[in-house]
Amino acid sequence: MPSDRRTVLALTGALLAGAAGCLSDDPADDDTGSDDPGDDHADDDDSAAGSSDGNGFDGYDVPDFPQLELATDPEIDETALAEQVRGNLELSFDLLAQLREQEPDDNLFCSPYSVSVALAMTYAGARGDTAAEMADALRYELEGDDLHPAFGALEAEFARRNEDGEDVDDPTGEGHDGPAFQLSTANSTWGEEGVDFDEAFLELLEAYYGAGMRLVDFSGSPEEARERINEWVEERTNDRIEDLLPGGSIDASTRLVLTNAIYFEAMWKYPFSEEDTEPAPFTGLDGEETEVEMMHQSIEVPYAEIGGHQLVELPYANDDTSMVIVLPAAGEFDAFEAAFSVDRLATLLGETSRPEVELAMPTFDIESKFSLVETMRELGMERAFGDADFSGMTEGDNGLVISEIIHQSFVEVDELGTEAAAATAVVMEESAPPDRVELTVDRPFLFFVLDRPTETPLFAGRVVDGETLQEE
């Protein structure tokens, strides 16, 4: 796939439906499976920047770019895929918003893609009002007949991305250990022996998610089943996600667990020099300064600034994947984060040029683990946890409900690149221009790891606390 193709994020109006014109500031707006592991600008009216809300976005139109040409397997209409990619992006904003309410002073990291896939597999067995609530909460823009092929197309595209990554050369030319680019995803279902699972449900999961059914004895040996699932996750995340399912999360009443694992390791296209890394202050959300290790380099990369809010896009070695860093204006992080949206991200990306950026940013590592039950309840997914209808999963009346959704993630960013991993488990039981600019990331910021040809948000995070930013 050509690396210069515009992103799905900025596809046609089908992707950004209803977003043209001024942007609002309203923040409310038995194992059958394998065990083997130069851009156009929007409205350039100078009066739009620095508007009365202090966010500098009023008056900017969401950019409109050419339709993406995406080779997918299974085949799916590109506009339909674009619609779901927008839904995936919106879910990433929803998740960050809910998680920051729970931990407002903490650094956060998650994989919206992992969450969405694990729950899409669960959604395949939902019916009636349960399915309707899940589709709304998870921002599923497509009907089931199109939704699952859309996810299957993304899975196939990422598999190709990973295959192509085998030929990506080490940008430093120094023969560092490990791949210059790796992106792998895996799905699996773990079902109770003796339960009569619906054949159509299993066939759908195998066809679009590659999720073979692994039979386990939850009722007789729940701890053994838990350990087996955790081992599967560890193997597929290079041991970065350990003990995804904690003790007690699986018991004799468990009937089905659906899992997704994603692993990402990539070198920067333009690596930083370790010799240029030096201590520098980082001002946290509470105003306190902490000394962190700050990387430095001067590079020509996509950069935008609107109303004092800055964005920089740092490509990885494969050219198709990048980290997008969004640095709100000093003192405006809270207001910016509350109003940030898919459309505003699209606007910033649409305003990019390629100046020489004097970039300073910290190395960082974040580990997060969440139960997403209350998060999904807040997003409107109620019935799945109580009066649920998952009759598409088994033959007859099964009485299955979601008892837990566990998401765990890890990211490490240094001079050479990024390593990230995440896993999600759904447990079921019965009943993110001047010629030369400076960007110093020394205060709270948001970041996203994006697959650019499909603009799928693989990972998303926020950094607000320097004290814990570089803990070993």
Side-chain angles (χ1 to χ4, degrees):
M1 177 178 296
S3 60
D4 61 350
R5 188 167 292 147
R6 280 309 302 177
T7 68
V8 170
L9 174 64
L11 270 176
T12 58
L15 177 59
L16 297 169
C22 297
L23 301 181
S24 168
D25 281 316
D26 183 3
D29 203 62
D30 191 43
D31 293 332
T32 59
S34 171
D35 279 332
D36 296 331
D39 302 331
D40 295 331
H41 287 272
D43 187 349
D44 284 329
D45 183 355
D46 292 337
S47 66
S51 57
S52 59
D53 66 3
N55 285 328
F57 275 86
D58 284 355
Y60 281 87
D61 290 329
V62 174
D64 185 23
F65 291 103
Q67 175 76 29
L68 176 77
E69 295 177 12
L70 181 61
T72 58
D73 183 16
E75 293 183 359
I76 185 172
D77 178 76
E78 291 158 5
T79 299
L81 180 61
E83 290 173 356
Q84 185 50 50
V85 167
R86 179 182 172 88
N88 294 347
L89 282 161
E90 290 176 336
L91 177 63
S92 70
F93 284 84
D94 290 344
L95 285 174
L96 283 179
Q98 291 295 326
L99 294 174
R100 74 170 179 258
E101 286 189 9
Q102 299 173 27
E103 302 179 11
D105 300 323
D106 293 350
N107 301 325
L108 299 173
F109 183 65
C110 66
S111 173
Y113 180 75
S114 177
V115 173
S116 193
V117 169
L119 285 168
M121 293 193 294
T122 312
Y123 172 73
R127 298 293 183 267
D129 290 340
T130 301
E133 278 191 354
M134 291 185 71
D136 185 57
L138 293 163
R139 301 300 187 105
Y140 293 157
E141 302 294 334
L142 304 174
E143 298 293 336
D145 290 345
D146 288 326
L147 177 73
H148 301 298
F151 275 108
L154 286 174
E155 291 275 297
E157 195 65 34
F158 297 154
R160 274 192 290 273
R161 194 90 70 249
N162 194 48
E163 187 176 320
D164 292 343
E166 297 176 2
D167 298 324
V168 175
D169 295 329
D170 176 356
T172 67
E174 298 177 4
H176 290 279
D177 292 336
F181 181 85
Q182 179 180 349
L183 170 61
S184 58
T185 67
N187 304 300
S188 186
T189 53
W190 310 79
E192 170 73 3
E193 295 175 347
V195 172
D196 191 10
F197 289 101
D198 185 87
E199 284 298 323
F201 172 67
L202 298 181
E203 288 172 1
L204 184 150
L205 295 188
E206 178 64 35
Y208 297 122
Y209 301 93
M213 173 63 79
R214 292 165 167 80
L215 298 179
V216 292
D217 184 10
F218 289 124
S219 58
S221 303
E223 183 63 16
E224 180 180 338
R226 183 183 73 87
E227 291 177 356
R228 184 177 173 189
I229 296 171
N230 283 344
E231 287 174 1
W232 181 90
V233 170
E234 290 169 16
E235 289 175 2
R236 283 151 184 81
T237 59
N238 200 28
D239 296 328
R240 288 301 190 178
I241 304 299
E242 298 181 341
D243 297 320
L244 173 67
L245 294 171
S249 59
I250 299 296
D251 58 30
S253 67
T254 302
R255 292 295 174 262
L256 180 67
V257 176
L258 302 101
T259 51
N260 168 271
I262 180 170
Y263 180 75
F264 176 81
E265 184 177 10
M267 299 182 70
W268 301 119
K269 183 176 182 179
Y270 309 109
F272 294 78
S273 170
E274 294 185 21
E275 296 177 355
D276 295 331
T277 299
E278 56 187 15
F282 181 94
T283 304
L285 197 57
D286 59 2
E288 293 294 318
E289 282 193 359
T290 305
E291 190 173 87
V292 301
E293 292 297 308
M294 194 76 75
M295 306 182 291
H296 297 265
Q297 70 167 311
S298 179
I299 48 176
E300 292 185 7
V301 289
Y303 170 88
E305 180 176 354
I306 296 178
H309 310 301
Q310 297 170 284
L311 173 147
V312 67
E313 181 176 2
L314 304 179
Y316 291 106
N318 73 328
D319 272 326
D320 276 343
T321 313
S322 64
M323 176 177 286
V324 174
I325 294 175
V326 181
L327 182 68
E332 298 183 21
F333 182 84
D334 283 338
F336 182 92
E337 185 180 35
F340 200 42
S341 65
V342 175
D343 299 329
R344 289 193 164 188
L345 178 58
T347 298
L348 279 166
L349 288 170
E351 287 291 308
T352 57
S353 59
R354 297 182 66 91
E356 184 177 354
V357 180
E358 290 292 337
L359 177 62
M361 63 176 284
T363 64
F364 60 91
D365 58 85
I366 305 172
E367 294 187 45
S368 297
K369 189 169 186 176
F370 313 97
S371 167
L372 296 180
V373 172
E374 290 307 313
T375 298
M376 298 315 301
R377 285 186 187 276
E378 288 296 322
L379 293 179
M381 202 175 98
E382 291 279 355
R383 286 180 172 82
F385 305 105
D387 184 20
D389 181 357
F390 286 106
S391 56
M393 290 185 172
T394 61
E395 299 290 347
D397 184 10
N398 53 50
L400 292 181
V401 297
I402 297 176
S403 60
E404 184 61 279
I405 305 171
I406 301 173
H407 181 73
Q408 188 172 343
S409 55
F410 159 90
V411 64
E412 181 175 341
V413 175
D414 60 18
E415 292 84 355
L416 288 179
T418 302
E419 182 181 14
T424 307
V426 180
V427 182
M428 307 197 70
E429 63 182 17
E430 288 180 332
S431 246
D435 294 331
R436 187 180 184 88
V437 298
E438 292 187 5
L439 177 59
T440 300
V441 187
D442 61 355
R443 57 183 187 269
F445 63 94
L446 307 172
F447 67 99
F448 305 83
V449 175
L450 302 178
D451 178 72
R452 291 296 271 151
T454 67
E455 209 56 75
T456 297
L458 302 173
F459 302 94
R462 72 196 293 256
V463 173
V464 298
D465 177 20
E467 187 173 353
T468 63
L469 196 57
Q470 296 167 352
E471 290 182 339
E472 294 295 333

